[in-house]
Amino acid sequence: MLTVVALHDEAGRLLREDLLAAALPVHRQLRPNLPDEPAAYRAMMARVFAGGARMFVALDDADQVQGVALWRVYENTYQGRRLYLDDLVTGEAHRSQGVGKALLAACEAEAARQGCGYFSLDSGTWRTDAHRFYFREGFTIQSFHFVRPLG
């Protein structure tokens, strides 16, 4: 049995610091640049959450974190209100077991609840397994994402 849990309330207050700490090893599987020390991770995520991001975690029957979805809702000029998925990661040992699908479903339900017209994400060009998953889940490629480092 898999349960998806929101780590924030409506006002964006973190409700489950324990689950945020437990999410770190799974989150680092996608983003190895994240701090590996729990206090530093907590501080970084507090800044990310202050910018509007929210997090869902997928828990197994033993309340162990199997996956993480980091998302935010905002409005822009070309899609209007949308839910943007910053990070979606399933722990390596639990891939292809419905964890990512459950997290996507939770995000889609949240998007609908918040009146979003779109659900979008970016995925690195090298992540071909993730692309197959997103295509299966009904996502399409609509644009290129350009980046230029500063400094």
Side-chain angles (χ1 to χ4, degrees), residues 5-50:
V5 176
L7 298 192
H8 299 86
D9 66 11
E10 287 291 320
R13 288 183 295 262
L14 183 63
L15 300 171
R16 299 289 308 266
E17 289 196 37
D18 60 323
L19 291 180
L20 178 62
L24 173 58
V26 175
H27 203 174
R28 280 182 49 85
Q29 289 180 32
L30 176 67
R31 305 281 186 223
N33 59 305
L34 289 171
D36 60 357
E37 199 277 317
Y41 176 69
R42 168 74 170 88
M44 179 183 186
M45 294 311 295
R47 293 187 302 273
V48 172
F49 297 147

Side-chain angles (χ1 to χ4, degrees), residues 45-119:
M45 294 311 295
R47 293 187 302 273
V48 172
F49 297 147
R54 302 293 178 258
M55 186 181 281
F56 290 136
V57 294
L59 304 175
D60 64 13
D61 288 337
D63 286 339
Q64 299 298 306
V65 174
Q66 304 301 314
V68 173
L70 182 69
W71 54 272
R72 61 190 76 227
V73 171
Y74 69 96
E75 194 163 349
N76 63 24
T77 58
Y78 68 96
Q79 288 180 327
R81 192 164 176 81
R82 69 176 176 161
L83 187 142
Y84 179 79
L85 186 60
D86 290 34
D87 295 341
L88 178 68
V89 59
T90 297
E92 189 173 358
H94 304 284
R95 293 188 182 142
S96 298
Q97 297 177 20
V99 175
K101 190 175 187 75
L103 287 165
L104 280 183
C107 288
E108 188 168 348
E110 183 65 22
R113 190 184 75 73
Q114 293 205 34
C116 297
Y118 289 89
F119 179 7

